[in-house]
C-alpha cells in the first residue's frame, strides 16, 4: 500500500458528522468517493495503484453502475483493457441489458469498486458478470471500509488501494 496515496485519499475524502451509509447503518465518518474520483491528479494516481492490483491475465475490467465507473474508465485508459458495466437494474428500453459492454465467455475479469463498506453491491455486480460469462478473478477496491471481509467470505479474492476501517 502506498502510504502517501492513502494519506491523500483520506485527506481528500474523509468527512466527519452524522452519515447514513448505503447499508442503512450510521457512521460519524464518511469517505466521499467523489472527492478523490473527480480530482484528475488523484484519480490518475488511484487508477495507477488499482492497475497494479489487477488479477494476473486480466482481459476485462468490470464495475457496478455509479461512481465506480469513473475509476474503471481511468484504469481502462491506464491499461488499454475493455470495460463492462453492471447496471443497478436492466433498462426497460433499448437492449434492456443488465451488463453494458462486451463480455467474452471466460474472460479473466477484475471488478473495480470505489468504496465498499458491506461488499453487497460489488458482490451482486460480480455475480451478474459471472452470469454473463466472465471469470471474475479479483475485486479491487479503491477504499475498503470493511466490505472486503464479506467478499472474501463469499470466495472472492480482494485487494484494496486503501484500507480505511471505521476504527482507523
Amino acid at each position: 500500500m502506498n502510504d502517501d496515496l492513502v494519506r491523500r485519499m483520506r485527506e481528500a475524502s474523509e468527512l466527519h458528522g452524522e452519515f447514513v451509509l448505503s447499508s442503512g447503518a450510521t457512521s460519524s465518518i464518511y469517505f466521499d468517493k467523489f472527492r478523490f474520483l473527480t480530482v484528475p491528479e488523484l484519480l490518475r494516481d488511484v487508477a495507477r495503484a488499482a492497475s497494479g492490483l489487477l488479477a494476473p491475465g486480466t482481459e476485462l475490467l468490470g464495475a457496478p453502475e455509479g461512481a465506480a465507473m469513473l475509476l474503471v474508465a481511468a484504469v481502462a485508459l491506464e491499461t488499454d483493457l475493455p470495460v463492462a458495466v453492471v447496471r443497478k437494474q436492466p433498462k426497460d428500453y433499448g437492449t434492456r441489458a443488465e451488463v453494458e459492454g462486451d463480455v467474452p465467455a471466460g474472460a479473466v475479469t477484475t471488478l473495480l469498486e470505489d468504496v465498499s463498506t458491506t461488499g453487497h453491491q460489488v458482490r451482486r455486480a460480480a455475480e451478474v458478470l459471472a452470469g454473463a460469462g466472465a471469470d471474475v478473478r479479483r475485486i479491487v477496491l479503491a477504499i475498503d471500509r470493511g466490505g472486503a471481509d464479506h467478499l472474501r467470505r463469499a470466495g472472492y479474492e480482494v485487494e484494496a488501494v486503501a484500507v480505511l476501517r471505521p476504527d482507523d
Side-chain angles (χ1 to χ4, degrees):
M1 208 174 322
N2 179 326
D3 291 340
D4 180 60
L5 177 58
V6 172
R7 178 190 55 75
R8 291 172 37 228
M9 290 171 72
R10 176 175 242 147
E11 286 175 357
S13 65
E14 185 175 339
L15 303 175
H16 295 266
E18 188 67 25
F19 304 96
V20 177
L21 306 177
S22 63
S23 65
T26 59
S27 177
S28 61
I29 298 174
Y30 183 76
F31 293 97
D32 184 345
K33 58 197 157 239
F34 289 105
R35 292 184 175 219
F36 67 85
L37 292 175
T38 59
V39 177
E41 179 183 350
L42 195 47
L43 174 58
R44 185 179 307 109
D45 291 345
V46 172
R48 282 187 185 130
S51 297
L53 300 174
L54 301 181
T58 295
E59 302 167 288
L60 179 68
L61 302 172
E65 180 180 29
M69 292 168 55
L70 295 166
L71 177 60
V72 79
V75 173
L77 291 171
E78 187 74 24
T79 62
D80 288 324
L81 290 168
V83 173
V85 174
V86 178
R87 289 185 165 280
K88 292 178 183 174
Q89 59 186 19
K91 297 186 302 185
D92 52 357
Y93 60 91
T95 64
R96 297 187 171 151
E98 189 168 20
V99 178
E100 300 292 353
D102 186 39
V103 180
V108 175
T109 303
T110 296
L111 185 61
L112 293 130
E113 176 65 302
D114 44 61
V115 178
S116 183
T117 302
T118 65
H120 295 299
Q121 292 174 358
V122 71
R123 179 179 176 182
R124 179 195 166 276
E127 291 167 350
V128 169
L129 278 173
D135 177 4
V136 179
R137 296 264 178 99
R138 184 174 288 169
I139 297 171
V140 174
L141 309 172
I143 295 179
D144 170 21
R145 266 205 93 185
D149 297 340
H150 169 78
L151 295 167
R152 287 186 184 109
R153 282 193 302 273
Y156 292 100
E157 184 178 316
V158 183
E159 296 288 343
V161 174
V163 177
L164 302 173
R165 298 297 179 102
D167 55 351
D168 287 348

